[in-house]
Amino acid sequence: MSIDREQVKKVAFLARLELTETEEEEFTGQLSSILDYFEQLSELDTENVAPTTRAIDVSNITRADIVESYRDRDAILNSAPDREGDFFKVPKIGQEED
Amino acid sequence: MASIRELHRQLTNKERSAEELTRETLDRIETIDPQVRGFLQVMADAAIDRARRVDAKIAAGEAIGHLEGIPIAIKDNICTAGVPTTCGSKILENFVPPYNATVIEKLEAAGAILIGKTNLDEFAMGSSTENSAFQVTANPWDLDRVPGGSSGGSAAVVAANECTVALGSDTGGSIRQPASLCGVVGMKPTYGLVSRYGLVAYASSLDQIGPLAGTVEDAAILLEAIAGYDPKDSTSLKTEIPSYYKALKPNLKPKRHLRIGVIQETFGQGVDPAVEQAVKDALTVLQELGAEVQVISCPTFRYGLPAYYIIAPSEASANLARYDGVKYGMRVEDAENLIDMYAKTRARGFGSEVKRRIVIGTYALSAGYYDAYYLKAQKVRTLIRQDFDRAFNHVDILVCPTSPTTAFKAGEKTADPLGMYLSDLMTIPVNLAGLPALSLPCGFDEGGLPIGMQAIGNVLQEQLLLEVAHAYEQATPWSQKRPKL
């Protein structure tokens, strides 16, 4: 299976990743050969095989739902590129109405 | 650099103070690291402060543990409170974690001296440490060659005697392959043995933290200190941690009929003849030590690589979605709106291998391709596990080369991602099955570059692996050889 440049563009958009023209071209070629390499998996019959999501299965891990206060809230908020009071600040999301 | 046991003896006998040891280590780093470039950051002041506290304890006549006063280097994808943790990425260049990883808490409690943070392939994605956004680390045996990756900084600083031991992380071979290429011991524990809390996630179902060390004994001491259940990691195993260090004996004799399986599929095409020969010679040594060696077939072994390069990028594409320029890390200033800010921040913050894997992973998980790629790979993962299960019905440990080749030249494989991926062919199936494995030096090629042998154990068989590796190490000269720098 090969991948074309349009698909690379589409996938990059889904991943919120802006690619340059050069990257798009380079990735299209490289990803095609990587996908070709994946093709060898079709040599294996997996019809009746269950998938493995975790190699060492631990299941039903639960804990009490108790709120713990964090000792240094400010350290977390200060890690943000931009903040306003106790909020993370981001660029404008919606359109302004006239 | 002396072993932990020797340094511990010197400290307790007051032949040397922890502060002296720390200052010598810092001096060595200052002299050697401009050539090796293994450290991204050295915490000199904090290290000396910590050493003084160990000295105060010794002066007061208190007993100290094995790791107390011992310098240790930390791969820079493990969170250290108040100390930048970059993951080798521009997107986290100024990130200072507000908390410690569980392994760091454990090491601090054990009195180890955190000396610095080591270089890595960006977000641990790579096999040569050339994907770091900041610097290229050299192989101490030949400065024109790579140290392997992604824990290349940790492997190189241990090999160059800049530090006694180091922590790395291993998702597809990122501890074992650089250990092999740098001629040191490196171990990936069973998935869940060591807490991943505070390890920056790459592929969560595969990532494990583990030790890199000059000897098996040092690796055992470090593993013992970091292993154990942690409620903060829900994949952490509730299991008793044995004293790995105390169990080490200089020969295999007490283990009657130790059965070693040689993985048939790991020899032949694509493997350096020198690597093949060194591993075969090592098997002869193990036989002389009393092991019974047989050839074992793992027919699905080679499918590990393609399965991994679907599974790991898929998990990575989800894990790396958190770098969005909102909560931490860098943010571009020239974005028009939120979506544009995400796309531009990620474009400028990530390097090309990370972008490549995000695109592969997003593609493999996207509508219409999920069954063909991700689900298929997860099923192949089951087949690989079953192959290992069958093998362990016949043998106690499996042996193969760690990497098909010795260290390659810097720049040699950067233009060919697939060629680079192939250097993890032997280590990847182990992560897919969650098994413990270690790489230990087993010889040198004609160019004087170290060769590593991989020993793979069944689930939670770390102790057996360490015992066998220790017996082999005591019977051979390899671990005593160090590069001339």
Side-chain angles (χ1 to χ4, degrees):
Chain A
M1 211 179 302
S2 75
I3 185 167
D4 61 30
R5 196 162 166 164
E6 277 312 301
Q7 282 172 296
V8 169
K9 270 176 129 155
K10 192 183 144 202
V11 170
F13 174 75
L14 289 174
R16 300 292 181 264
L17 199 57
E18 191 178 89
L19 297 182
T20 63
E21 295 271 313
T22 325
E23 280 174 327
E24 273 174 20
E25 196 179 310
E26 200 181 271
F27 282 14
T28 306
Q30 288 170 341
L31 295 186
S32 290
S33 55
I34 291 168
L35 292 177
D36 284 345
Y37 183 73
F38 292 165
E39 276 306 300
Q40 58 180 294
L41 292 179
S42 62
E43 294 161 14
L44 295 171
D45 179 10
T46 51
E47 178 89 35
N48 297 308
V49 178
T52 294
T53 49
R54 292 204 180 273
I56 312 289
D57 211 20
V58 283
S59 55
N60 296 332
I61 303 299
T62 58
R63 58 177 168 77
D65 189 12
I66 300 168
V67 178
E68 286 176 45
S69 62
Y70 190 74
R71 63 187 156 72
D72 195 359
R73 265 177 114 230
D74 239 32
I76 303 253
L77 285 159
N78 281 334
S79 297
D82 201 3
R83 68 180 275 197
E84 196 172 294
D86 281 353
F87 299 95
F88 295 124
K89 196 173 173 188
V90 296
K92 194 161 51 180
I93 297 173
Q95 299 286 330
E96 269 176 60
E97 282 178 48
D98 296 324
Chain B
M1 184 165 283
S3 68
I4 293 178
R5 186 151 53 98
E6 172 58 17
L7 294 172
H8 179 69
R9 193 192 61 75
Q10 292 172 6
L11 292 173
T12 46
N13 290 347
K14 300 181 184 167
E15 287 169 25
R16 201 179 192 183
S17 71
E19 183 174 342
E20 279 165 357
L21 172 58
T22 301
R23 287 191 187 278
E24 281 165 36
T25 304
L26 292 168
D27 286 349
R28 171 88 184 160
I29 292 170
E30 207 178 305
T31 318
I32 300 292
D33 210 56
Q35 297 173 67
V36 176
R37 299 179 299 273
F39 281 102
L40 288 174
Q41 191 182 190
V42 176
M43 292 98 86
D45 295 344
I48 288 166
D49 279 354
R50 189 71 190 84
R52 284 180 180 152
R53 278 189 279 150
V54 175
D55 285 332
K57 214 170 151 181
I58 297 169
E62 285 177 54
I64 58 163
H66 269 108
L67 276 177
E68 269 185 289
I70 305 297
I72 179 165
I74 309 293
K75 187 178 183 180
D76 208 24
N77 61 348
I78 298 174
C79 286
T80 40
V83 177
T85 299
T86 68
C87 292
S89 181
K90 269 195 261 175
I91 212 160
L92 288 179
E93 189 167 5
N94 299 312
F95 174 60
V96 180
Y99 68 97
N100 273 326
T102 296
V103 290
I104 299 297
E105 292 283 326
K106 281 176 174 271
L107 288 175
E108 297 220 320
I113 311 290
L114 270 51
I115 211 90
K117 303 291 297 280
T118 56
N119 198 23
L120 68 159
D121 286 299
E122 185 175 5
F123 286 103
M125 297 180 193
S127 312
S128 67
T129 313
E130 290 166 290
N131 294 337
S132 165
F134 306 115
Q135 64 199 37
V136 172
T137 297
N139 188 310
W141 294 90
D142 177 345
L143 299 172
D144 294 331
R145 291 176 189 269
V146 302
S150 67
S151 311
S154 289
V157 301
V158 172
N161 285 331
E162 291 179 64
C163 199
T164 314
V165 283
L167 286 186
S169 68
D170 190 315
T171 305
S174 281
I175 290 174
R176 291 159 288 156
Q177 185 258 16
S180 175
L181 269 48
C182 289
V184 299
V185 177
M187 186 170 204
K188 182 203 95 73
T190 301
Y191 183 79
L193 186 76
V194 178
S195 169
R196 291 183 295 111
Y197 180 76
L199 168 68
V200 177
Y202 157 24
S204 308
S205 79
L206 305 163
D207 299 338
Q208 262 296 282
I209 295 172
L212 290 116
T215 63
V216 173
E217 187 183 81
D218 285 356
I221 293 171
L222 184 52
L223 179 65
E224 199 173 312
I226 59 171
Y229 175 70
D230 179 12
K232 289 176 179 159
D233 172 359
S234 60
T235 60
S236 175
L237 299 175
K238 278 183 181 157
T239 179
E240 229 11 72
I241 305 302
S243 176
Y244 300 119
Y245 161 65
K246 281 191 190 131
L248 298 181
K249 303 277 186 311
N251 59 64
L252 281 180
K253 300 273 152 55
K255 279 264 167 245
R256 282 188 305 277
H257 307 304
L258 175 84
R259 298 164 305 168
I260 293 178
V262 190
I263 305 173
Q264 193 180 356
E265 288 79 6
T266 59
F267 292 89
Q269 209 197 347
V271 182
D272 267 3
V275 171
E276 194 166 319
Q277 194 53 50
V279 175
K280 285 182 174 162
D281 292 346
L283 287 160
T284 308
V285 173
L286 287 165
Q287 260 172 326
E288 285 163 9
L289 288 169
E292 184 190 296
V293 175
Q294 55 180 283
V295 176
I296 287 273
S297 173
C298 292
T300 60
F301 199 83
R302 71 184 180 91
Y303 295 99
L305 191 69
Y308 174 88
Y309 277 101
I310 293 171
I311 294 168
S314 295
E315 293 185 16
S317 70
N319 274 327
L320 271 63
R322 73 190 64 176
Y323 305 104
D324 57 3
V326 175
K327 302 176 293 298
Y328 38 69
M330 66 167 266
R331 172 192 292 187
V332 297
E333 297 299 334
D334 55 345
E336 287 161 24
N337 55 43
L338 189 64
I339 301 279
D340 192 42
M341 188 276 279
Y342 293 150
K344 286 201 164 76
T345 295
R346 290 160 64 78
R348 286 177 218 167
F350 292 140
S352 58
E353 183 59 26
V354 172
K355 289 180 192 174
R356 198 154 32 236
R357 293 198 196 185
I358 289 175
V359 172
I360 296 172
T362 308
Y363 180 76
L365 292 175
S366 63
Y369 298 104
Y370 180 86
D371 285 5
Y373 292 113
Y374 190 69
L375 190 64
K376 179 80 186 181
Q378 297 282 54
K379 288 178 170 186
V380 170
R381 192 173 180 182
T382 304
L383 296 178
I384 291 167
R385 275 179 61 199
Q386 289 169 348
D387 252 7
F388 276 119
D389 285 347
R390 269 191 294 273
F392 285 121
N393 282 332
H394 301 286
V395 297
D396 303 304
I397 68 168
L398 290 164
V399 164
C400 66
T402 305
S403 183
T405 68
T406 51
F408 43 91
K409 285 247 163 78
E412 195 180 313
K413 299 190 180 183
T414 39
D416 173 21
L418 199 51
M420 183 77 90
Y421 297 171
L422 283 168
S423 79
D424 294 331
L425 188 68
M426 317 281 198
T427 47
I428 274 172
V430 176
N431 298 75
L432 291 172
L435 302 172
L438 58 77
S439 177
L440 78 161
C442 70
F444 292 87
D445 70 5
E446 56 283 4
L449 297 169
I451 298 169
M453 161 170 71
Q454 179 175 228
I456 308 165
N458 209 343
V459 174
L460 293 174
Q461 292 295 307
E462 279 78 7
Q463 191 165 346
L464 178 64
L465 281 178
L466 289 163
E467 282 172 28
V468 173
H470 182 68
Y472 173 80
E473 187 184 76
Q474 297 301 302
T476 53
W478 316 122
S479 76
Q480 287 141 41
K481 295 190 196 283
R482 282 284 162 259
K484 291 181 188 70
L485 279 170

